[in-house]
């Protein structure tokens, strides 16, 4: 463990040149790909292409939901969570560090082709913000709210809207576990009625609203709406900084696969969760930032080769999100590929004898096209 | 009009395609006389079409391809290949988890390479002797008979696949079932090894009829 730290600080800036020299002992070239800096605030271009470790307790606290399923499997197999520091993430972090919180919230849109690491970039930013003490509102995948919903209840608040109790309660549970201390500090500003008998008074901590939503699953979607509304209204005071992180934001505009009982299709505005989230993503509040990701993989009714914001958001979504900062995420650069390959070798993930040779490495690079997801899928059976 | 292709025969002058990249990367000086003659022959003779299973990848393995073909149903090679890769990945994950949890002295004994486990498991499942039906005087006898290598490999693979398909719970996925069976067979346990032993015992019991064999 100690070797990794030393190798970082004495290593040259370009890791590749030190790998090719023969006098470096066999263990050192592997350690160059790691960095002992586990605080995202201190990541700079020097750490680009290197993997940093997130302690497992922190992973459970910061990411109850939100990490891609294959990455979660990888965490369990390797017994550690290593995330690569890449240029788009460093760019986003520098913008966040220099942003003025008195101004309206800036919207950042992370886009790129399939499997290039958009969700992992978002997770890196979420980790940074939670380390800095921001309140993180992380919606792991907005597509889960517009497809495959087993129960759709008619909303008691507005007649023509539909509630999704299961998705809302699942999200509330995860939100509660990651943001415990904020929920005790923030107080409600209005009296909310849940049905005829139950109500939450003005001035009670937000934790009670969340408890209400978890206890009475029927009103979970309304509880989510209340939480979002309170956070938006109170963020400009400056007592906490709010990060809205939405993965797959293109699900909020477009079509859903859900149908009402009379078999007519449901449009996203008719869902309470989507309606409230759209209000959150508007930049009419200050005291935080909105970081979103486009995703074609889980989307419905979208062509599989679509990856640009124009195609995936549609006209309505693009106009709503219009002044945003686009952050493209490319495939692995040669240095990042070396780093990932070295990490797999070190963790004994690449077991095939030929995978250790130059031919095997060249073949992996060619077959995957330096795409992170393809490399992960190819390296699985090898 | 549909042209018959499956049993069509090439003219004997057609040569087999060469997939290995090493043979094309050798510079001219290193070639022996025979290889030079072979290159000149290839320049004039036509070459057969390469089958789609022929691969120049360094990671391709003929046993794995054979096993994938046997798992394939109604020509769905894409599905069979993805199941095979998921199986290898599942074996690797289970072994790596065991490896990381084991104490230092036991770490060398745990085999993590899924290909080594696959080959060893198949070898452990191969029967040495088989039975064949021979009819004498109206009665059919089970006669112990030596098996060729190909037949042994085929039987091992067939038993593994049928065991996974039939004797497991309906809802478990094939990669999970297969990885479990392969790991058991690697350690010489499990239902497939038992079936091999039963076959050996039947052959031993029917030793008296061994003279019925005439080949």
């Amino acid at each position: 463990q100690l070797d990794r730290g030393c190798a970082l600080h004495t290593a040259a800036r370009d890791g590749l040149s030190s790998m090719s020299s023969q006098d470096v002992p066999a263990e050192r070239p592997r350690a160059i790909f790691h960095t002992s800096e586990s605080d995202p605030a201190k990541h700079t271009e020097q750490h680009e292409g290197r993997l940093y470790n997130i302690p497992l307790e922190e992973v459970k606290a910061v990411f109850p939901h939100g990490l891609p399923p294959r990455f979660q499997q990888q965490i369990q197999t390797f017994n550690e969570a290593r995330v690569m520091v890449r240029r788009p993430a460093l760019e986003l972090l520098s913008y966040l560090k220099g942003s003025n919180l008195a101004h309206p919230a800036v919207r950042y849109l992370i886009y790129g082709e399939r499997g290039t690491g958009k969700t992992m970039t978002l997770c890196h930013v979420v980790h940074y913000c939670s380390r800095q003490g921001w309140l993180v509102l992380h919606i792991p995948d907005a597509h889960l709210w517009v497809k495959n919903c087993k129960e759709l209840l008619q909303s008691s608040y507005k007649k023509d809207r539909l509630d999704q109790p299961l998705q809302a309660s699942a999200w509330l549970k995860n939100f509660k576990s990651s943001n415990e201390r904020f929920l005790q500090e923030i107080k409600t500003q209005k009296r909310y009625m849940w049905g005829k008998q139950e109500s939450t008074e003005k001035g009670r901590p937000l934790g009670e609203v969340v408890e209400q939503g978890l206890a009475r699953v029927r009103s979970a979607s309304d509880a989510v709406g209340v939480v979002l509304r309170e956070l938006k209204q109170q963020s400009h005071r400056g007592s906490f900084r709010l990060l809205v992180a939405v993965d797959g934001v293109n699900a909020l505009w477009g079509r859903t696969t859900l149908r009402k009982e009379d078999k007519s299709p449901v449009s996203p505005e008719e869902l309470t969760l989507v309606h409230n989230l759209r209000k959150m993503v508007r930049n009419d509040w200050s005291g935080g930032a909105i970081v979103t990701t486009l995703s074609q993989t889980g989307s419905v009714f979208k062509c599989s080769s679509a990856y640009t914001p124009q195609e995936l958001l549609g006209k309505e979504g693009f106009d709503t999100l219009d002044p945003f900062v686009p952050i493209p995420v490319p495939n692995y650069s040669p240095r990042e590929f070396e780093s990932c390959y070295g990490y797999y070798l070190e963790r004994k993930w690449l077991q095939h004898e030929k995978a250790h040779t130059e031919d095997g490495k060249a073949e992996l690079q060619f077959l995957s096209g330096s795409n992170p997801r393809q490399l992960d899928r190819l390296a699985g059976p090898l | 009009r549909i042209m018959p292709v499956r049993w069509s025969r090439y003219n004997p002058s057609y040569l087999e395609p060469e997939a290995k990249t090493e043979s094309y990367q050798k510079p001219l000086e290193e070639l022996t006389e025979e290889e030079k003659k072979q290159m000149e022959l290839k320049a004039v003779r036509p070459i057969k079409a390469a089958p789609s299973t022929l691969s120049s990848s360094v990671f391709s393995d003929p046993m794995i391809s054979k096993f994938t073909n046997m798992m394939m149903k109604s020509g769905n090679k894409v599905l069979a290949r993805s199941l095979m890769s998921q199986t290898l990945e599942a074996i690797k994950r289970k072994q790596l988890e065991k490896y990381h949890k084991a104490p230092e002295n036991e770490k060398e004994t745990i085999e993590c390479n899924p290909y080594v486990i696959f080959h060893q498991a198949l070898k452990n499942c191969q029967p040495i002797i088989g039975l064949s039906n021979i009819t004498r005087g109206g009665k059919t006898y089970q006669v112990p008979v030596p098996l060729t290598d190909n037949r042994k490999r085929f039987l091992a693979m067939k038993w593994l696949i049928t065991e996974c398909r039939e004797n497991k719970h309906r809802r478990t996925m094939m990669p999970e079932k297969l990885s479990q069976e392969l790991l058991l067979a690697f350690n010489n346990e499990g239902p497939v090894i038992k079936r091999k032993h039963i076959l050996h015992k039947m052959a031993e019991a029917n030793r008296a009829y061994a003279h019925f064999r005439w080949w």
Side-chain angles (χ1 to χ4, degrees), chain A residues 341 345 352-362, chain B residues 58-59:
Chain A
Y341 175 77
L345 280 183
H352 202 274
E353 318 77 51
K354 295 286 176 148
H356 300 271
T357 60
E358 286 298 321
D359 282 338
K361 184 164 143 190
Chain B
V58 292
F59 303 122

Side-chain angles (χ1 to χ4, degrees), chain A residues 70 77 349 363 379-380 382, chain B residues 57-58 89 92-93 99 113 115:
Chain A
R70 258 192 99 83
T77 313
W349 186 235
E363 190 165 325
L382 286 178
Chain B
S57 157
V58 292
E89 197 179 327
K92 199 172 27 160
R93 271 192 211 275
Y99 179 87
N113 191 338
Y115 294 86

Side-chain angles (χ1 to χ4, degrees), chain A residues 148-264:
Chain A
N148 300 340
C149 295
K150 298 272 164 56
E151 281 181 23
L152 275 178
L153 298 175
Q154 208 190 22
S155 165
S156 48
Y157 182 60
K158 286 257 164 32
K159 274 284 166 284
D160 49 357
R161 287 214 208 128
L162 294 163
D163 268 358
Q164 286 150 304
L166 297 170
Q167 277 82 9
S169 52
W171 184 79
L172 275 177
K173 203 162 74 154
N174 289 325
F175 177 65
K176 187 175 136 179
S177 72
S178 60
N179 288 319
E180 291 278 9
R181 63 183 181 95
F182 285 110
L183 293 175
Q184 305 310 319
E185 290 166 3
I186 304 173
K187 311 280 183 218
T188 53
Q189 285 179 329
K190 209 180 97 163
R191 183 166 183 259
Y192 295 105
M193 297 291 299
W194 312 109
K196 297 217 180 67
Q197 279 123 20
E198 290 142 1
S199 70
T200 309
E201 300 298 325
K202 178 173 161 177
R204 305 294 299 158
L206 254 188
E208 274 198 20
V209 175
V210 178
E211 293 293 332
Q212 173 70 34
L214 285 174
R216 292 262 174 279
V217 181
R218 297 201 111 200
S219 52
S221 325
D222 292 327
V224 170
V226 165
V227 162
L228 292 181
R229 186 162 175 268
E230 287 298 322
L231 289 175
K232 196 166 152 177
Q233 281 174 345
Q234 296 189 21
S235 62
H236 70 272
R237 289 194 197 154
S239 55
F240 62 90
R241 290 162 292 179
L242 181 62
L243 175 79
V244 177
V246 186
D247 201 333
V249 76
N250 47 323
L252 300 180
W253 297 276
R255 293 160 65 185
T256 70
T257 45
L258 308 173
R259 283 175 184 262
K260 293 187 259 232
E261 273 145 13
D262 53 355
K263 310 276 180 163
S264 60

Side-chain angles (χ1 to χ4, degrees), chain A residues 13-34:
Chain A
R13 177 134 182 222
D14 194 357
L16 288 174
S17 57
S18 19
M19 240 194 80
S20 52
S21 62
Q22 288 308 309
D23 46 342
V24 180
E27 217 229 345
R28 287 300 183 89
R30 305 277 185 264
I32 285 175
F33 306 126
H34 294 290

Side-chain angles (χ1 to χ4, degrees), chain A residues 127-147:
Chain A
H127 184 219
Y128 163 77
C129 290
S130 63
R131 274 271 185 138
Q132 297 287 306
W134 293 38
L135 205 176
V136 171
L137 205 76
H138 187 35
I139 287 106
D141 195 1
H143 294 294
L144 296 174
W145 291 356
V146 299
K147 57 179 182 174

Side-chain angles (χ1 to χ4, degrees), chain A residues 70 73-74 76-79 347-355 359-360 363-364 377 379-382, chain B residues 22 25 56-61 84-86 88-89 92-93 96-97 99-100 111-116:
Chain A
R70 258 192 99 83
Q73 272 181 330
Q74 191 182 316
Q76 216 193 348
T77 313
F78 294 168
N79 236 11
R347 282 271 112 188
K348 299 188 196 299
W349 186 235
L350 289 170
Q351 285 278 330
H352 202 274
E353 318 77 51
K354 295 286 176 148
D359 282 338
E363 190 165 325
L364 275 177
R377 298 242 149 195
L382 286 178
Chain B
E22 291 91 40
Q25 278 163 357
S56 63
S57 157
V58 292
F59 303 122
S60 61
D61 187 356
M84 193 70 219
S85 53
Q86 281 170 44
L88 293 170
E89 197 179 327
K92 199 172 27 160
R93 271 192 211 275
L96 270 179
E97 274 173 32
Y99 179 87
H100 286 302
E111 179 59 59
C112 290
N113 191 338
Y115 294 86
V116 165

Side-chain angles (χ1 to χ4, degrees), chain A residues 209-382:
Chain A
V209 175
V210 178
E211 293 293 332
Q212 173 70 34
L214 285 174
R216 292 262 174 279
V217 181
R218 297 201 111 200
S219 52
S221 325
D222 292 327
V224 170
V226 165
V227 162
L228 292 181
R229 186 162 175 268
E230 287 298 322
L231 289 175
K232 196 166 152 177
Q233 281 174 345
Q234 296 189 21
S235 62
H236 70 272
R237 289 194 197 154
S239 55
F240 62 90
R241 290 162 292 179
L242 181 62
L243 175 79
V244 177
V246 186
D247 201 333
V249 76
N250 47 323
L252 300 180
W253 297 276
R255 293 160 65 185
T256 70
T257 45
L258 308 173
R259 283 175 184 262
K260 293 187 259 232
E261 273 145 13
D262 53 355
K263 310 276 180 163
S264 60
V266 173
S267 75
E269 297 87 43
E270 295 173 28
L271 294 167
T272 12
L273 289 173
V274 172
H275 182 90
N276 291 326
L277 198 55
R278 278 194 196 180
K279 282 196 275 185
M280 207 63 198
V281 169
R282 277 208 317 240
N283 58 350
D284 49 2
W285 53 279
S286 60
I290 307 173
V291 183
T292 63
T293 310
L294 285 183
S295 165
Q296 193 283 326
T297 329
S299 65
V300 289
F301 303 111
K302 288 285 178 219
C303 170
S304 62
S305 58
Y307 72 96
T308 54
Q310 187 73 32
E311 287 167 330
L312 282 177
L313 288 172
K315 186 170 181 317
E316 200 193 329
F318 197 89
D319 289 336
T320 324
L321 271 186
D322 199 356
F324 62 82
V325 177
I327 300 189
V329 178
N331 284 327
Y332 276 155
S333 65
R335 186 177 162 167
E336 287 168 343
F337 179 83
E338 300 272 346
S339 172
C340 190
Y341 175 77
Y343 177 56
Y344 283 155
L345 280 183
E346 189 230 357
R347 282 271 112 188
K348 299 188 196 299
W349 186 235
L350 289 170
Q351 285 278 330
H352 202 274
E353 318 77 51
K354 295 286 176 148
H356 300 271
T357 60
E358 286 298 321
D359 282 338
K361 184 164 143 190
E363 190 165 325
L364 275 177
Q365 184 158 22
F366 174 69
L367 284 177
S368 63
S370 297
N371 184 302
R373 175 183 288 177
Q374 287 303 326
L375 180 61
D376 185 38
R377 298 242 149 195
L378 282 171
L382 286 178

